[in-house]
Amino acid sequence: MIPIVILKALDGIDIPIYGKGDNIRDWLFVDDHIDALFSVINKGSIGENYCIGGNNEKTNFEIAKTICYWLDKKLPQKDSYQNQIKFVEDRPGHDKRYAIDSSKIKEELGWKPKYTFDNAIIKTLEWYLKNRDWCKKVSQNSNYGGERIGIINPIN
């Protein structure tokens, strides 16, 4: 979702948000995910399962508004990027919430995320702003169901 919101905002096109935008996800910065994986490799018990979560539950609408807020600060334009947010019909069977209980990895391995959502989203947004040409080049022929798919980058 984050790459799609950023790229559509930068392209000046509608940012579609399903339903009321109240679907909730737990967001984790990639550096924290990698750090958690190293903790599991180095400290975890063989055969054990560890859920990795960011303790950053946000609604899709909150995510879109936050990205637009920071774009307004970092790359202002005449109108706010938030004006590009458009609510669209929700997908049938769309999950309302993905919840992660990451207490086991915290208690047994002492791991916890280092980044807050706000720090991570700013870092991610800055990466996209610095790499706009690369994003355009890579996404030119990337389509899924008529929508441009998101770009995976090394920090998001």
Side-chain angles (χ1 to χ4, degrees), residues 35-46 48 50 104-112 114:
D35 186 50
L37 293 173
F38 277 118
S39 289
V40 170
I41 290 167
N42 293 315
K43 300 177 189 175
S45 298
I46 293 174
E48 285 295 323
Y50 300 92
K104 182 177 178 179
I105 193 170
K106 290 175 189 167
E107 292 166 12
E108 291 185 17
L109 307 185
W111 177 85
K112 66 180 182 177
K114 293 177 181 151

Side-chain angles (χ1 to χ4, degrees), residues 12-154:
I13 57 179
D14 288 352
I15 301 166
I17 301 295
Y18 286 123
K20 297 175 186 173
D22 58 354
N23 304 71
I24 298 171
R25 305 291 182 259
D26 182 22
W27 297 92
L28 178 69
F29 190 53
V30 71
D31 288 355
D32 282 328
H33 194 191
I34 292 166
D35 186 50
L37 293 173
F38 277 118
S39 289
V40 170
I41 290 167
N42 293 315
K43 300 177 189 175
S45 298
I46 293 174
E48 285 295 323
N49 295 312
Y50 300 92
C51 291
I52 302 169
N55 300 317
N56 285 305
E57 287 192 354
K58 307 275 184 204
T59 66
N60 289 350
F61 185 49
E62 285 177 282
I63 298 298
K65 285 192 328 183
T66 300
I67 290 168
C68 291
Y69 169 84
W70 286 110
L71 279 172
D72 284 339
K73 297 284 186 202
K74 293 187 172 293
L75 192 66
Q77 58 181 14
K78 182 180 173 190
D79 293 323
S80 172
Y81 291 93
Q82 289 190 33
N83 293 336
Q84 293 171 231
I85 297 173
K86 305 293 182 217
F87 294 97
V88 298
E89 187 175 338
D90 205 350
R91 295 181 296 152
H94 196 181
D95 296 328
K96 284 292 182 189
R97 180 173 181 233
Y98 295 153
I100 300 290
D101 178 1
S102 57
S103 58
K104 182 177 178 179
I105 193 170
K106 290 175 189 167
E107 292 166 12
E108 291 185 17
L109 307 185
W111 177 85
K112 66 180 182 177
K114 293 177 181 151
Y115 289 89
T116 66
F117 179 81
D118 290 328
N119 292 354
I121 199 67
I122 292 167
K123 197 168 179 177
T124 300
L125 185 58
E126 287 172 348
W127 186 92
Y128 275 90
L129 291 173
K130 288 178 188 169
N131 293 282
R132 287 179 77 178
D133 291 338
W134 181 85
C135 291
K136 285 181 191 261
K137 186 177 178 181
V138 170
S139 65
Q140 278 176 337
N141 296 319
S142 298
N143 286 298
Y144 179 76
E147 289 289 327
R148 181 173 59 204
I149 63 172
I151 304 298
I152 305 300
N153 73 55

